[in-house]
Amino acid sequence: MDWLPLLSTLTGAAIGIIATLIADHSRQKHEDAKDTLRLRLDTYTQYTTTVKVLGETLRALAAQEHPSPDHRAHALHEAFRTSDIATASERLWLTAPEPVIHASNTVFHCLRNIRDSYINGTPVSSPEDHTHWQTRATAAAHMRTLMRKDLGISPLTEHHTT
């Protein structure tokens, strides 16, 4: 019996199976990478949106008249607590690389400083308030730059301030 045709057929089949497995593995890695980027984009969008909305809410609450300083403090604390910033932050801590986590934490602390400043009576649009907001804007711009880099998106030529 001539074994050469049988061995050739088996070798060809083995090569075909291995090539298919390699292609499937490569496709799966590509899909996993796309899913990871989508997850990070969703996480970054949730965090930056929460930061923006919380900032606007804090400023609006600080500008309102309150029956007492305690009422003002309670409203500002409650806005911070119910803003979902903790959830957005935790998602970010689980999915983002360390530089993005550090930058987002800086933005979080800027917002907390703004809240505490308003609780302590800093008027909206005062020089001190302006300094707090400028610090937050700089930190947020740095955070977004790192997020864009992580997502493989080119840097902005103009900075969007919020």
Side-chain angles (χ1 to χ4, degrees):
M1 178 168 176
D2 190 8
W3 291 94
L4 192 56
L6 180 59
L7 287 175
S8 295
T9 301
L10 287 174
T11 302
I15 290 171
I17 290 170
I18 291 170
T20 300
L21 290 174
I22 290 171
D24 286 347
H25 180 71
S26 177
R27 234 185 331 273
Q28 186 61 47
K29 279 180 65 175
H30 181 69
E31 285 300 315
D32 289 348
K34 283 174 44 178
D35 289 345
T36 298
L37 278 178
R38 272 190 227 108
L39 173 64
R40 283 194 177 151
L41 176 60
D42 290 347
T43 300
Y44 294 168
T45 302
Q46 179 190 19
Y47 192 79
T48 56
T49 301
T50 302
V51 161
K52 182 174 179 64
V53 171
L54 176 57
E56 291 169 354
T57 302
L58 293 174
R59 184 177 277 169
L61 284 171
Q64 290 177 2
E65 291 292 324
H66 296 277
S68 70
D70 286 343
H71 183 271
R72 175 184 172 122
H74 176 74
L76 289 162
H77 276 292
E78 191 65 13
F80 211 90
R81 190 185 67 75
T82 60
S83 70
D84 274 346
I85 190 117
T87 301
S89 183
E90 287 301 319
R91 283 189 78 203
L92 203 132
W93 275 74
L94 291 172
T95 60
E98 197 167 337
V100 174
I101 291 169
H102 288 301
S104 69
N105 202 38
T106 299
V107 172
F108 176 87
H109 287 287
C110 287
L111 284 169
R112 200 167 64 187
N113 290 341
I114 290 168
R115 178 203 63 195
D116 293 346
S117 177
Y118 287 150
I119 288 171
N120 292 327
T122 299
V124 173
S125 299
S126 67
E128 183 182 352
D129 186 42
H130 178 73
T131 300
H132 285 299
W133 283 102
Q134 191 57 46
T135 301
R136 193 216 60 94
T138 301
H142 176 65
M143 176 187 70
R144 284 191 303 271
T145 297
L146 292 173
M147 288 173 171
R148 290 177 68 85
K149 180 179 178 184
D150 181 47
L151 294 170
I153 301 169
S154 61
L156 293 173
T157 54
E158 287 184 33
H159 288 287
H160 173 71
T161 58
T162 56

